[in-house]
Amino acid sequence: MEDKGEGRGYIVSYQGLEELFCRLKEGWRVVAPKLKEGVILYSEVESLRELPFGHRNREMPGFYCLERAEGYFTYTHPVNSLKAFLHPSELVLMRVRTSDGCLEFEVCNSEGNFCFFDVRACDLFALEVLDRVFVHKNPHPDSYYRKLREGAFVVAVNCAYATSTCFCTTMGTGPEVKEGYDLLITELREGFLLEAGSERGRALLESLGNKKEAGEEHFLQKRERLREAEAIMERHFEIGGLPDRLYGRMDSQYWKHIEKRCLACTSCTQSCPTCFCFDILERNDLKLKESERIRVWDSCFSPAFATVHRYNIRQSVHSRYRQWLMHKFAYWMDQFDLFGCVGCGRCITWCPVGIDIRQEIKKVLGSE
Amino acid sequence: MRVGVFKFSSCDGCQLAFFDLEEELLLLSEMVSIEYFLEATSYNRWGELDLSFVEGSVSTPEEEERIKKIRESSKFLVAIGACAVSGGIQSARNYEDFSEVYSSVYKGHYVVNPFSRPISDFVKVDLEVRGCPINRRALKEVLVAVMHQRSPQLPTYPLCLECKRKGNVCVAVAYQKPCLGPITVAGCGALCPSFERGCYGCYGPVEKPALEALQGGYERLGLSVENLKELLRLSFNGYNRELRGWL
């Protein structure tokens, strides 16, 4: 067991955070939330000032906008997720060339060397989910994911705010960051509480210049901030025994209703931080001298997804919706021992017609 | 392999995709025999063809006859672009009073059909390449696939998937702009949403587009049924089989 130094921490000022950021920049490609195109997106950033401090994302089913707010970490998770960096939407897996009558293979396996800065509890949990999907619970661990993920340094942040589509308390993933981080930041009245979650996090924290030991009152304030976020969120359904309750609704009349509302546009699956489905494409040149094998994001809502020998086994929209919902909240548990949903609410916000998975689950459970 | 490129009622833009192939076009001309391509060569023969590309919609009685002859002489026939696949922008007239449209365009007597139709209304089409115009990536994929006898990998999924892969922000959600992406086939590289405007559907509808669901969902963007129908009629794909019944 690593000594996480439970109940220990330091208070730093904004300058202290800047010092931390500069130290991270020396050794890592830092990915953090950034203002871009009128939204907040995880991007590679050069300085701490690029973070969207003082902005607040307002989200509703099918709606997103930004407002101003007092403070620094005033927003929740970005629009995109860390999936974009660890399971890129288009990844060249290998190239094959013909040279003097022989085939030359080049495996394109690149390293990540990422530092994920300002990761919220839901997205941190999503990393755990992806780790299991691609590596720990995968009989054929994925070398591409592993190489991008290996050694990633994680600086997590506790949320003091939630949007109307957040439901981490329902899924039991947040708002408090509990594990899987190197450093944890909580914004308090007089500065930022920094806690270490790993040995290397601790070493970095100890080496920072201007800091003072955090006291009892700081940890009390941290609890208060988390309670502020918790208070915004409603508990939508009980997750205990959820897979079994859903299995009992496989033939429910409910599913037909979604046919009239769902576009099968794939937006929910693409916005989801844990949806991992992909397709493999071959790109050849005219003379077949060179070929690239590419992995691209796919979706269970895509019409060709369930096409086997030219027959699509899920032709109706509701059969695709059922597959998605059941995978997230039931089959995933059988496969990976956890839910495929972390309660971030991205699928709700980014559904062009505002379908709310929380309401749909309640409807499925309440149906006959 | 003998290749032909034919044009019907259209703007010639899809044929230009062949020229977009640039140096690969030269390579292609060494690998295949281009038998018929008015836009590219003065030496045109029209005999038996292994692969035919057809641009344009069928809008006149003469075109109705010509498309049948092309079908008879072609082993594999590919419809290229919104006109050939869905009737094109000129199919907007299919929803209007024909004599009014006719007299606003022509002075004198020309033989023009009241409807602009996709070529699949007249002959069997082996493959459709979407877009207004089609793009070189799709054209190259078809050429490589047909030449090497594998199935072409063209998207059948909605634009939203391509848009998200590209890392775009959804214009319908973030900027409240009506976007036809959810029911439009991908392949353009999510061009319009990449510039913060809604997709206007030039790649045509996906299989069984969720029209009612889109209409219901977009009411919050202030889009009425009539607005949506007009968008689709002007999407260059208004007479696509998946849309015409609803419009």
Side-chain angles (χ1 to χ4, degrees), chain A residues 294-328:
Chain A
I294 307 154
R295 179 157 87 184
V296 294
W297 286 356
D298 201 353
S299 170
C300 48
F301 285 94
S302 169
F305 187 84
T307 300
V308 184
H309 297 295
R310 297 190 179 183
Y311 183 76
N312 187 352
I313 58 167
R314 286 198 282 271
Q315 295 185 16
S316 64
V317 172
H318 74 260
S319 65
R320 295 180 209 165
Y321 191 88
R322 183 176 69 180
Q323 165 64 24
W324 180 63
L325 187 147
M326 290 299 292
H327 192 199
K328 287 286 171 196

Side-chain angles (χ1 to χ4, degrees), chain B residues 15-158:
Chain B
Q15 294 177 69
L16 293 181
F18 285 86
F19 301 106
D20 279 347
L21 291 172
E22 295 175 349
E23 58 267 44
E24 280 166 318
L25 181 64
L26 293 176
L27 190 62
L28 181 70
S29 64
E30 289 165 16
M31 297 173 78
V32 303
S33 159
I34 297 175
E35 305 270 307
Y36 192 96
F37 191 177
L38 291 177
E39 187 100 345
T41 172
S42 314
Y43 301 97
N44 292 286
R45 298 176 293 268
W46 178 359
E48 287 293 302
L49 294 163
D50 299 299
L51 176 61
S52 291
F53 293 93
V54 178
E55 176 201 271
S57 69
V58 174
S59 283
T60 65
E62 180 271 323
E63 287 179 337
E64 285 182 33
E65 291 313 307
R66 187 152 53 97
I67 190 62
K68 285 173 196 155
K69 282 187 198 144
I70 291 170
R71 173 71 269 186
E72 278 164 23
S73 46
S74 308
K75 283 204 186 112
F76 196 81
L77 190 148
V78 184
I80 54 170
C83 298
V85 171
S86 311
I89 186 67
Q90 59 274 25
S91 70
R93 77 162 178 266
N94 301 2
Y95 301 99
E96 305 289 330
D97 181 295
F98 179 66
S99 58
E100 258 179 49
V101 175
Y102 182 91
S103 57
S104 72
V105 176
Y106 299 106
K107 297 241 184 299
H109 183 71
Y110 296 88
V111 183
V112 181
N113 293 348
F115 280 60
S116 167
R117 292 176 178 276
I119 58 174
S120 60
D121 277 14
F122 301 90
V123 297
K124 178 176 170 278
V125 169
D126 298 307
L127 182 71
E128 288 181 344
V129 182
R130 302 294 192 92
C132 182
I134 61 165
N135 66 66
R136 54 179 282 176
R137 295 184 303 279
L139 181 60
K140 190 177 149 186
E141 171 61 19
V142 172
L143 288 166
V144 172
V146 173
M147 278 164 63
H148 300 292
Q149 291 168 359
R150 66 161 170 79
S151 9
Q153 294 178 315
L154 295 177
T156 53
Y157 47 80

